[in-house]
Amino acid sequence: MTAIVDPEGPSLLAIPSNPVPEGARVGWFRTQDRVRLRYALFPRKPGLAHRGTICLVHGRTEFIEKYFETVEDFRNRGFAVATFDWRGQGGSERMIGNPRLGYVDHFSDYWCDLRSFHTEILLPDCPPPFYLVGHSMGGLVSLFAAATERTMFDRVFLSAPMVALDRQPLSMSGMARVADALSFVGLGQVPIRRREDKPPSEQTFEGNPLTGDRARYLRMVALGKARPELEIASPTVRWVGAAMRAMAEVATDRFPPRIQVPLLMLAAARDAVVSTPAIESLGLRLRTGRHVVIPGAQHELFMETDTIRGQVLAAFDAFITEQSA
């Protein structure tokens, strides 16, 4: 069930419905602040035109194996793919004693992960040019990458980026202040759970907020069952404070002009996880970017039905594949 590349190193999980793409290499690298992260490299397919490397960054709770199908989509277009698990999730090092809880001290810790991956793995081991593809929380990190260092990636493609959350009792900055105050009094590692949150299972497909595709949803469930240590559950107070403060920064008038890299954001019309109106608002304020709303789609655009995924990949081709020839 598991493909081991290095007997002394990490492995990639394979299940019948989710095989490891051919030629995969998996390993660990250290970030600049010495956190150990799991990464994987997938070479472009032989015989296809060289187009460069897709750097794929995931959302909160996700891990490399969840994206094998999408990795193959990119490889079928002539790209190599490089990806890694963020600190605190997947096969990477956990930051607090409870491995099931999502935690970072500061949201910039994720930027450290991405910058270190670019320096330690992308530049020495992967063929340029480099294109950044980020989903949800990874999309928020990608926005900060585009605003901070415009020479790292030629283009940035985002799937349902986490730029704001709807149905919150306060603004993003207000929520950040509350979480920071709770962290200050020693509650930073306390999980934040909602009554409606349920672990994915065969019984939770109906009404789930992620995807309308049953087979892909059950594939996610099967991966979690096969290796539960890859999964995390609730975020902590500290994580919420860090994420809310980052989202509040994106909403300011000073943030959009900082992005000078060609950038495309896809939003899901039926997203119940992140705010589609906030993505639209940001897209209208970008100088070198724009946004597209995918009708009928839920949050996990890369895990959606074939019809919706076809629209997502068509947007990817128009924005990246055709520009990389």
Side-chain angles (χ1 to χ4, degrees):
M1 296 289 285
T2 302
I4 299 176
V5 177
D6 179 359
E8 303 300 323
S11 61
L12 293 173
L13 170 68
I15 60 176
S17 62
N18 198 59
V20 177
E22 186 177 357
R25 292 169 47 201
V26 60
W28 281 305
F29 73 98
R30 293 277 182 182
T31 64
Q32 293 174 354
D33 58 349
R34 307 305 299 165
V35 178
R36 191 176 74 169
L37 306 185
R38 183 181 68 149
Y39 76 94
L41 303 179
F42 305 91
R44 70 179 176 94
K45 291 192 173 180
L48 298 179
H50 163 70
R51 295 188 182 275
T53 299
I54 300 296
C55 178
L56 177 61
V57 292
H58 321 140
R60 195 190 82 82
T61 79
E62 296 186 318
F63 45 87
I64 294 167
E65 286 85 347
K66 186 175 174 180
Y67 283 88
F68 284 169
E69 180 183 19
T70 301
V71 166
E72 283 294 270
D73 290 327
F74 294 150
R75 294 180 70 229
N76 287 336
R77 287 159 166 79
F79 295 99
V81 181
T83 187
F84 64 94
D85 292 331
W86 298 113
R87 67 180 63 202
Q89 61 189 61
S92 291
E93 183 177 346
R94 299 300 194 258
M95 309 312 296
I96 58 176
N98 188 337
R100 295 285 296 170
L101 299 181
Y103 182 92
V104 286
D105 284 318
H106 308 283
F107 202 80
S108 59
D109 293 346
Y110 293 130
W111 166 231
C112 178
D113 292 351
L114 179 56
R115 186 174 63 245
S116 300
F117 184 65
H118 184 272
T119 301
E120 299 296 327
I121 305 299
L122 276 180
L123 286 177
D125 294 339
C126 301
F130 303 131
Y131 303 98
L132 182 59
V133 175
H135 172 66
S136 195
M137 185 194 83
L140 181 57
V141 182
S142 299
L143 283 168
F144 278 95
T148 305
E149 180 49 79
R150 64 179 180 176
T151 63
M152 285 175 64
F153 300 100
D154 284 51
R155 288 179 172 246
V156 178
F157 181 89
L158 305 182
S159 158
M162 189 182 75
V163 299
L165 305 181
D166 291 328
R167 299 174 296 278
Q168 300 300 308
L170 299 171
S171 66
M172 298 298 99
S173 58
M175 294 292 290
R177 287 192 294 271
V178 171
D180 289 347
L182 292 172
S183 296
F184 182 75
V185 297
L187 301 178
Q189 296 187 22
V190 173
I192 295 182
R193 297 186 176 96
R194 300 182 303 173
R195 185 177 303 175
E196 62 269 28
D197 289 341
K198 297 178 181 178
S201 69
E202 290 84 350
Q203 290 72 44
T204 58
F205 171 73
E206 297 298 332
N208 84 85
L210 302 178
T211 175
D213 190 279
R214 179 182 291 273
R216 292 186 174 98
Y217 185 84
L218 294 181
R219 185 179 67 196
M220 289 189 275
V221 172
L223 286 168
K225 284 186 175 181
R227 190 179 287 182
E229 66 271 19
L230 292 175
E231 296 189 311
I232 62 171
S234 301
T236 56
V237 168
R238 184 76 173 187
W239 185 93
V240 168
M244 293 290 184
R245 191 161 300 285
M247 288 185 275
E249 172 67 18
V250 169
T252 62
D253 290 336
R254 64 181 177 270
F255 186 84
R258 293 170 53 194
I259 295 179
Q260 300 181 39
V261 179
L263 183 147
L264 176 62
M265 298 184 295
L266 300 190
R270 298 177 55 219
D271 204 321
V273 178
V274 305
S275 174
T276 293
I279 296 171
E280 294 180 282
S281 176
L282 176 62
L284 293 172
R285 295 183 294 142
L286 292 173
R287 295 177 179 176
T288 60
R290 59 190 180 93
H291 71 280
V292 175
V293 179
I294 306 296
Q298 293 177 250
H299 181 63
E300 296 274 7
L301 290 171
F302 286 118
M303 313 296 165
E304 262 285 10
T305 63
D306 288 345
T307 299
I308 291 173
R309 288 186 89 252
Q311 296 177 63
V312 172
L313 292 170
F316 173 86
D317 286 338
F319 185 67
I320 292 186
T321 306
E322 293 172 9
Q323 305 303 319
S324 65

